[in-house]
């Protein structure tokens, strides 16, 4: 048994999140969250760039119920590398109410991919954020993209806005549905109408296979908690321009937070500010994630 110590600068997830004021509609999906460990059962990857606090599946289910979500999409985080065991274990104990996004390398076998599919995985994540990971070479990513296509999976990409110009051509060459984490992490001190965010809008507008998560005000906001209002115009713009290609979620347990422990109840309230009609809320919280992760349940 290995024990791990959380990075000293880390702030663990909020112990007692508030009840949201915004009532989630029945069937709402938290389409971006993680499970971490516990490290003594599912050890963190040797190549990780941070050591998190344990955030096991039982705590995630409790948060889901407390906030009023019905389902989760659990995204493999870099601290577990390409070892998807904690993710698969969570999916196996979710009563069908969770799907997953895994991380794989080119040495993954077809049998392993099939087993991940059976477990409920529906996508792979390509991470380009330098503080989190040494990104895989592009030829390896292209190879993985081709290998997962027959399973009907999509690709989730995570990058920072300043990197988009350099990555743009590679991204538009990816096959199938590509989901961008956290709107490409805009610098919210810059205008929505400025060239940086507009490059991301162009990516979404000109490539209909691109989707966006309108997530993570807690890490994008310069104004900070509890309202995160400086992120609202960015997320609202994306929700209104691309209502059929947006997802949202809590980002629990909020890896790498060093400023504050986000109150997940307030993060749910944020959703009501970026999707301001019942129709937009239903698409964002139910129709879109169900189409992507539970298509067999969509009539
Ligand atoms: C997120 C954010 C972060 C970390 C990871 O895989 C990860 O380690 O995703 C981050 O630090 O920005 O998407 O939840």
């Amino acid at each position: 048994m290995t024990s791990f110590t959380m990075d000293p600068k880390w702030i663990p997830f909020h112990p007692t999140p508030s009840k949201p004021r915004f009532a989630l509609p029945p069937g709402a999906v938290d389409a971006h969250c993680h499970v971490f460990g516990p490290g003594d059962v599912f050890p963190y990857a040797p190549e990780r760039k941070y050591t998190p606090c344990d955030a096991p599946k039982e705590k995630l289910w409790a948060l889901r119920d407390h906030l009023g979500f019905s389902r989760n999409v659990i995204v493999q985080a870099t601290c577990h590398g390409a070892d998807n065991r904690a993710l698969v274990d969570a999916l196996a104990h979710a009563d069908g109410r969770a799907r997953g996004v895994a991380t794989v390398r080119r040495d993954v076998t077809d049998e392993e991919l099939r087993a991940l599919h059976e477990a409920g995985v529906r996508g792979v994540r390509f991470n380009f954020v330098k503080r989190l990971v040494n990104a895989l070479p592009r030829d390896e990513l292209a190879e993985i993209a081709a290998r997962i296509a027959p399973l009907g999976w999509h690709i989730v990409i995570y990058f920072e806005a300043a990197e988009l110009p350099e990555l743009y051509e590679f991204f538009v060459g990816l096959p199938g549905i590509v989901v961008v984490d956290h709107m490409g992490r805009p610098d919210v001190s810059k205008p929505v109408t400025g060239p940086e965010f507009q490059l991301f809008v162009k990516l979404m507008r000109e490539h209909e296979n691109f989707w966006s998560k309108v997530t993570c005000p807690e890490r994008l906001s310069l104004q900070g908690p509890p309202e995160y209002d400086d992120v609202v115009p960015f997320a609202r713009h994306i929700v209104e321009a691309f209502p059929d290609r947006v997802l949202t979620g809590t980002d629990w347990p909020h890896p790498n937070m060093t400023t504050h422990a986000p109150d997940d109840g307030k993060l749910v309230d944020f959703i009501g500010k970026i999707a301001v009609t019942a129709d937009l809320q239903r698409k964002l919280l139910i129709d879109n994630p169900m189409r992507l992760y539970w298509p067999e349940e969509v009539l």
Side-chain angles (χ1 to χ4, degrees), residues 4 9 21 31 66 79 86 91 103 107 126 128 149 175 184-185 199 232-233 236 238 251 253:
F4 295 87
K9 281 199 303 202
R21 287 201 201 144
H66 173 77
C79 56
L91 299 179
T103 297
D107 61 3
F126 294 169
F128 300 88
R185 286 197 67 118
L199 183 64
V232 169
R236 189 168 168 181
I238 297 297
D251 185 40

Side-chain angles (χ1 to χ4, degrees), residues 32 34 50 77-78 125 131 158 182 185 219 251 255-256:
H32 187 90
H34 310 282
Y50 63 84
T78 54
R125 192 180 197 206
R131 72 186 160 78
Y158 190 24
H182 321 330
R185 286 197 67 118
R219 53 179 85 248
D251 185 40
N256 294 306

